[in-house]
C-alpha cells in the first residue's frame, strides 16, 4: 500500500509527486518500447493498464474498428475440421489488430507518458 501524500505542494517532493522526475529526453527507442509495451499488454490482458481503470479496452477497440465478418470467419473456421486454417486465421487477425493498435495509439497521451517514464527510468540507472 502506498503512503499518503504529505500535501506539502512542492513539485520536487518524492512523496507527493512520485512520478514528477526531471524531464528526460525521449528517444525514438523509448517511444517504440512504450508502444510495444502498451500493445502487448492490451493483447495479453485485454486492456491497458491491466489493473485499474482501463485507458484502452481490447473488446471496445475490436468492436469499433473491425467488421463483424471477422467473427463469423473465425466461427466457421472453428467449426470446420481443418484446425490449421483456424490457426492461420487467428494469427492473421492478431497481426492485423496489433498493427491497428500501433497505428491508433502512436502519439496518444498514454503512449507519451509511458515513454517519458521509460526515459526517466533509463536516466536513473
Amino acid at each position: 500500500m502506498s503512503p499518503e501524500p504529505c500535501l506539502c505542494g512542492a513539485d520536487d517532493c518524492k512523496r507527493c509527486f512520485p512520478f514528477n522526475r526531471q524531464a528526460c529526453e525521449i528517444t525514438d527507442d523509448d517511444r517504440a518500447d512504450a508502444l510495444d509495451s502498451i500493445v502487448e499488454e492490451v493483447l495479453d490482458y485485454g486492456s491497458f493498464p491491466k489493473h485499474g481503470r482501463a485507458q484502452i479496452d481490447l473488446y471496445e477497440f475490436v468492436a469499433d474498428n473491425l467488421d463483424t465478418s471477422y467473427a463469423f470467419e473465425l466461427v466457421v473456421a472453428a467449426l470446420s475440421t481443418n484446425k490449421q486454417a483456424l490457426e492461420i486465421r487467428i494469427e492473421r487477425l492478431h497481426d492485423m489488430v496489433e498493427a491497428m493498435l500501433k497505428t491508433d495509439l502512436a502519439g496518444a497521451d498514454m503512449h507519451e507518458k509511458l515513454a517519458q517514464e521509460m526515459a526517466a527510468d533509463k536516466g536513473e540507472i
Side-chain angles (χ1 to χ4, degrees), residues 9-85:
D11 289 344
D12 59 348
C13 178
K14 295 291 184 189
R15 192 167 171 203
C16 289
F17 300 96
F19 296 110
N20 191 16
R21 305 177 197 153
Q22 270 310 59
C24 295
E25 183 78 26
I26 302 174
T27 65
D28 290 338
D29 289 339
D30 293 329
R31 284 189 176 89
D33 291 344
L35 187 59
D36 289 341
S37 178
I38 292 171
V39 169
E40 183 179 325
E41 191 165 316
V42 169
L43 291 174
D44 287 347
Y45 300 105
S47 65
F48 177 83
K50 67 180 174 182
H51 301 294
R53 186 167 187 241
Q55 294 179 9
I56 182 158
D57 181 72
L58 183 59
Y59 182 86
E60 291 176 9
F61 182 82
V62 167
D64 292 343
N65 294 295
L66 279 183
D67 186 11
T68 57
S69 65
Y70 286 102
F72 293 122
E73 181 181 335
L74 288 175
V75 169
V76 169
L79 295 174
S80 75
T81 57
N82 186 358
K83 299 304 176 195
Q84 188 176 15

